[in-house]
Amino acid sequence: MLTALEVFTTVAVGVMVGVEFSVAFVMNRIFNALPDDSGQLARAHGGRMLGAVMPFWYIGSLVLSAVWAVAERHHSGAGLVVTAAALLIVSVVMSILLLVPINNRGKTWTPENRPADWKEQLNRWDRYHYVRVAVIIAAFALLAAALT
């Protein structure tokens, strides 16, 4: 049963990393290259869609990691799992304090109602997101290392 928890947790975090990496380095670049207001509208739609799913994914990944850490507290890889869970806590805190407020504003923007500094806000979101991606990649790497 513990092996299934380990594998499921690692896969869940790994797929989350893939989605967030894709947003940072693929999707946003595609959106930024679209003509006229299409890129901003695409990011608003993505913010609504992913904004509905990602909180459950982040919290779920954190809970799974915490359960794994508790279940394996006396095993050699426990420190790696605890550190991964701590990094996932950092990613959740970053999300709540830094990224979600910008996303909540951006997902309602249209070309008619967006603020004058909308590009600056999206650039700030991107910078925070790059850091968050690095944090969850590190968490994923630690979980993968704990499997061995």
Side-chain angles (χ1 to χ4, degrees):
M1 184 67 134
L2 184 58
T3 301
L5 172 66
E6 294 168 347
V7 170
F8 185 77
T9 303
T10 304
V11 170
V13 173
V15 173
M16 182 175 71
V17 165
V19 168
E20 294 291 33
F21 186 90
S22 176
V23 167
F25 298 103
V26 178
M27 299 309 300
N28 283 347
R29 291 182 183 194
I30 291 169
F31 296 161
N32 291 340
L34 292 173
D36 303 321
D37 296 318
S38 299
Q40 183 262 308
L41 292 170
R43 284 179 70 129
H45 180 67
R48 287 188 299 275
M49 190 178 85
L50 290 173
V53 174
M54 296 314 283
F56 299 103
W57 208 338
Y58 272 84
I59 298 298
S61 295
L62 172 57
V63 168
L64 287 168
S65 297
V67 170
W68 178 0
V70 169
E72 226 178 64
R73 64 187 170 277
H74 300 296
H75 293 94
S76 61
L80 296 172
V81 179
V82 169
T83 305
L87 288 172
L88 291 173
I89 290 170
V90 169
S91 74
V92 168
V93 171
M94 284 183 66
S95 297
I96 292 168
L97 296 179
L98 303 173
L99 290 120
V100 169
I102 297 169
N103 188 64
N104 284 344
R105 290 189 301 271
K107 68 185 182 181
T108 65
W109 293 340
T110 66
E112 293 78 31
N113 74 356
R114 63 187 179 211
D117 70 338
W118 69 275
K119 285 184 182 180
E120 294 168 22
Q121 290 188 53
L122 291 181
N123 287 335
R124 188 176 323 117
W125 187 94
D126 287 343
R127 288 191 304 274
Y128 293 149
H129 185 65
Y130 293 143
V131 174
R132 181 174 62 179
V133 169
V135 168
I136 63 174
I137 287 172
F140 173 65
L142 289 168
L143 292 174
L147 288 173
T148 60

